[in-house]
Amino acid sequence: MSKRTNYISWDEYFMGVALLSAKRSKDPATQVGACIVNNKNKIVGAGYNGLPAGCDDNEFPWDKQGDFLETKYPYVCHAELNAILNNIGMDLHGCRIYTALFPCNECAKAIIQSGITEVIYLSDKYNGSDTSLASRRMLDTAGVQYRKVEVHISKIELSFEEKDV
Ligand SMILES: O=c1[nH]c(=O)n([C@H]2C[C@H](O)[C@@H](COP(=O)(O)O)O2)cc1CO
Ligand SMILES: [Zn+2]
């Protein structure tokens, strides 16, 4: 018997982990996930956008508009920052980060400071916004590479049915 050929690529695998992490997000509008991988293709961190530990998801606002302090924006910790902070205690120098959304300027700072050297993103829907322009400026200057993820599939379906294992 010869080996399976329709297995997923490394990029599909790690972006898949980022997207699965995003499923934990409580943000009703935008769920973002991120996954950090070292140069041996081992996962060393993952995260999603959510409130800081101890801040109750039910007590804080999830609105996008209105009085700033009554929106989610001042409170949500972005997926990329959570993945960095959640890392398993590794030095992240030379690691790469897979993220569902191109990182904002604040996440770019954390990415650069942590030593991550490559960003692989799926959506770039805020391209052209000030946060995205500032992010690119810092990543470019600091020599952090970025590229859109390369995938050959449009969906992965997971079954939790025992019979499917
Ligand atoms: O890189 C990111 N990572 C990340 O986790 N986020 C989060 C913050 C918010 O919870 C949500 C963005 O909100 P919205 O797109 O609905 O305005 O995604 C937002 C960005 C922006 O690029
Ligand atoms: Zn961010």
Side-chain angles (χ1 to χ4, degrees), residues 3-132:
K3 72 168 187 181
R4 260 180 88 227
T5 51
N6 62 336
Y7 55 90
I8 58 174
S9 68
W10 285 121
D11 261 17
E12 290 159 352
Y13 175 40
F14 297 128
M15 189 56 81
V17 171
L19 295 173
L20 188 62
S21 304
K23 298 282 185 204
R24 285 277 312 149
S25 176
K26 317 300 181 309
D27 188 328
T30 309
Q31 301 84 42
V32 185
C35 172
I36 303 173
V37 179
N38 71 10
N39 59 14
K40 294 195 168 75
N41 282 332
K42 294 190 176 169
I43 296 172
V44 297
Y48 55 88
N49 54 328
L51 294 176
C55 297
D56 191 331
D57 299 325
N58 299 308
E59 300 296 326
F60 281 76
W62 287 105
D63 296 88
K64 286 165 74 108
Q65 278 166 347
D67 176 5
F68 181 63
L69 291 179
E70 292 307 320
T71 69
K72 62 185 172 181
Y73 297 109
Y75 311 112
V76 172
C77 189
H78 288 193
E80 302 92 317
L81 183 60
N82 268 334
I84 291 168
L85 297 172
N86 288 344
N87 89 77
I88 58 170
M90 306 273 303
D91 179 355
L92 301 183
H93 282 86
C95 287
R96 58 196 200 276
I97 186 166
Y98 287 80
T99 174
L101 194 53
F102 190 89
C104 73
N105 59 311
E106 293 299 331
C107 289
K109 294 176 199 174
I111 287 167
I112 293 164
Q113 294 300 69
S114 72
I116 289 172
T117 47
E118 190 180 15
V119 174
I120 300 112
Y121 60 90
L122 178 62
S123 166
D124 195 12
K125 68 176 177 177
Y126 294 123
N127 191 359
S129 66
D130 284 352
T131 55
S132 184

